[in-house]
Amino acid sequence: MHELSIVASIVDTVTETLAALPDTSKGARVVEVRLRVGALASVVEDSLQFCFGIATEGTTLEGSRLVVNVLPVVMHCEKCDEDVEIEGVQSFRCPKCGEPCSDLRQGRELEIEAIEIDEIDEVEEKI
Amino acid sequence: MTTRIVELRRGILKKNDELAAELRASYAAAGVLVLNLVSSPGTGKTALLELTLKELRARGARAAALVGDLETDNDARRLRTSGAPVRQINTHGICHLDAEMIGKHLDGWEGVALGGLDYLFIENVGNLVCPSSYDLGEKIRVVLLSVTEGEDKPLKYPTMFNSADAAVITKMDLAGPCGFDRETALKNINEIRPGIRIFETSAKTGAGLQEWLGYLEEARAGRII
């Protein structure tokens, strides 16, 4: 249930990013926010979406889409000596040889990958 | 109107992660072993910690605790009976501790300096979900599971169990009356976190405590990664 604090942090980061953009991008509107969330990141997409609607009200992110790209767990299997994708999060065994794996290579990500913005063209602005 | 993509690739909890990295460096510089205790509410974190603090002090070690709860300082008062310095952190509704809260409570903790400690225990808010996302700079994350909770807890909360470095099964004195299936519980923990160190304790009878204390001493001496 910490999705609201996570979303609040997303709003802060995106707002800071917009402020740091060059002058030509001033007044840009955020259309989409893309996240990369690992299957072990402990956040629920429905909850994120719900909180996103609330937390973005009255900000430059208001009305934007939140796209959550869920990344599967990837472990390094010592026996096969390669990175293997684990299906689900109920068993951390190599799907090829069945060996238990403890070396996590992907799955805890919680990051903003990119934002899509609409910039107001100068010509448009003059009209 | 021009549509443009701005790449960020920025961690959402980056601020917490950076603070946690600073804390980790200060713990290492002070030579204090820091453990983060996580579990559901009522698993027995405080009971295990009460005994642990008492026993470590009896062995001449300098141990202290930070304890997190939404409200009340009941746990801190209870833990202080061990004689160890204990500071309560009230989160007032927040479901986890974060690195900033730890930093703030370490600063200005009267009579306690990291350099004067061998062990610092952080008892997190009782919650098996949210605390898993927040690094507190700890060396060891300990997840607790009581025999009254059911053997499938690791399967239900894989994110927490997978992020732990050690697991403690508590209330072993109730294993019989609860019909606790020990083999299944051990199997489930290992399925989610293969190879993790598992302790089976009872704060009531003291069972398993020596092994747990031995582990802490080994970890303190840097013999366990």
Side-chain angles (χ1 to χ4, degrees):
Chain A
M1 288 311 292
H2 57 309
E3 278 80 357
L4 191 58
S5 29
I6 286 172
V7 167
S9 172
I10 295 172
V11 173
D12 285 349
T13 307
V14 173
T15 310
E16 281 167 23
T17 306
L18 287 178
L21 288 176
D23 284 348
T24 49
S25 300
K26 287 283 177 274
R29 200 173 65 89
V30 181
V31 183
E32 189 172 288
V33 178
R34 297 177 194 163
L35 306 186
R36 292 172 85 239
V37 176
L40 282 173
S42 274
V43 293
V44 181
E45 178 171 356
D46 283 352
S47 223
L48 278 180
Q49 295 288 4
F50 177 75
C51 295
F52 191 75
I54 298 167
T56 53
E57 269 178 38
T59 72
T60 44
L61 285 80
E62 187 166 346
S64 62
R65 282 186 304 271
L66 181 69
V67 177
V68 181
N69 180 17
V70 179
L71 308 174
V73 174
V74 173
M75 310 288 296
H76 182 75
C77 175
E78 272 183 32
K79 205 171 160 188
C80 301
D81 194 25
E82 61 175 299
D83 292 352
V84 289
E85 197 175 300
I86 307 279
E87 202 181 313
V89 286
Q90 288 291 288
S91 180
F92 291 77
R93 285 173 185 277
C94 172
K96 291 180 180 164
C97 70
E99 195 71 14
C101 304
S102 56
D103 186 358
L104 184 92
R105 295 290 166 95
Q106 177 184 286
R108 295 220 179 98
E109 294 74 8
L110 187 53
E111 60 182 45
I112 305 173
E113 187 176 13
I115 55 172
E116 192 181 311
I117 55 171
D118 269 351
E119 291 176 341
I120 303 155
D121 298 329
E122 275 181 42
V123 186
E124 237 176 295
E125 211 169 13
K126 279 172 192 159
I127 301 167
Chain B
M1 198 85 84
T2 314
T3 302
R4 199 156 74 87
I5 308 282
V6 183
E7 300 277 343
L8 262 83
R9 297 299 291 252
R10 205 188 132 126
I12 295 169
L13 298 177
K14 193 171 173 234
K15 271 183 196 158
N16 186 79
D17 292 342
E18 284 169 357
L19 277 175
E22 284 173 24
L23 285 173
R24 183 167 283 115
S26 65
Y27 302 153
V32 54
L33 177 71
V34 180
L35 298 100
N36 178 7
L37 272 53
V38 293
S39 78
S40 341
T43 299
K45 291 184 294 299
T46 314
L48 178 71
L49 194 47
E50 203 177 348
L51 257 186
T52 305
L53 290 173
K54 216 167 115 187
E55 288 295 320
L56 285 174
R57 282 174 57 82
R59 295 176 180 204
R62 301 163 300 173
L66 286 173
V67 52
D69 275 303
L70 270 65
E71 302 292 342
T72 85
D73 65 344
N74 292 352
D75 281 3
R77 283 193 280 124
R78 188 172 147 197
L79 290 170
R80 273 185 210 122
T81 61
S82 67
V86 180
R87 194 166 197 201
Q88 182 76 48
I89 303 176
N90 281 137
T91 63
H92 303 295
I94 296 174
C95 52
H96 56 268
L97 294 177
D98 62 31
E100 191 182 355
M101 295 180 205
I102 301 302
K104 273 188 187 160
H105 285 80
L106 285 174
D107 285 341
W109 188 357
E110 219 183 303
V112 179
L114 282 180
L117 294 176
D118 298 315
Y119 300 91
L120 173 67
F121 295 89
I122 302 171
E123 181 182 332
N124 218 309
V125 175
N127 177 342
L128 272 179
V129 186
C130 315
S132 73
S133 304
Y134 293 86
D135 185 3
L136 306 180
E138 75 269 22
K139 176 108 177 181
I140 298 174
R141 184 177 289 184
V142 186
V143 64
L144 287 78
L145 159 74
S146 69
V147 300
T148 56
E149 289 172 60
E151 301 82 5
D152 58 352
K153 213 80 194 246
L155 305 180
K156 286 178 176 169
Y157 298 91
T159 54
M160 183 61 92
F161 279 83
N162 182 268
S163 75
D165 304 296
V168 180
I169 304 176
T170 62
K171 307 187 189 179
M172 281 305 286
D173 53 298
L174 294 175
C178 288
F180 180 66
D181 181 349
R182 180 176 172 269
E183 292 310 314
T184 303
L186 295 177
K187 183 178 160 284
N188 287 342
I189 296 173
N190 265 302
E191 208 56 49
I192 299 299
R193 185 63 157 152
I196 190 174
R197 278 290 295 272
I198 305 173
F199 302 91
E200 297 167 57
T201 65
S202 161
K204 195 156 192 174
T205 66
L209 201 71
Q210 294 312 316
E211 202 187 340
W212 163 244
L213 292 169
Y215 168 76
L216 294 177
E217 287 173 342
E218 291 273 303
R220 167 81 179 83
R223 286 193 286 270
I224 295 165
I225 301 159

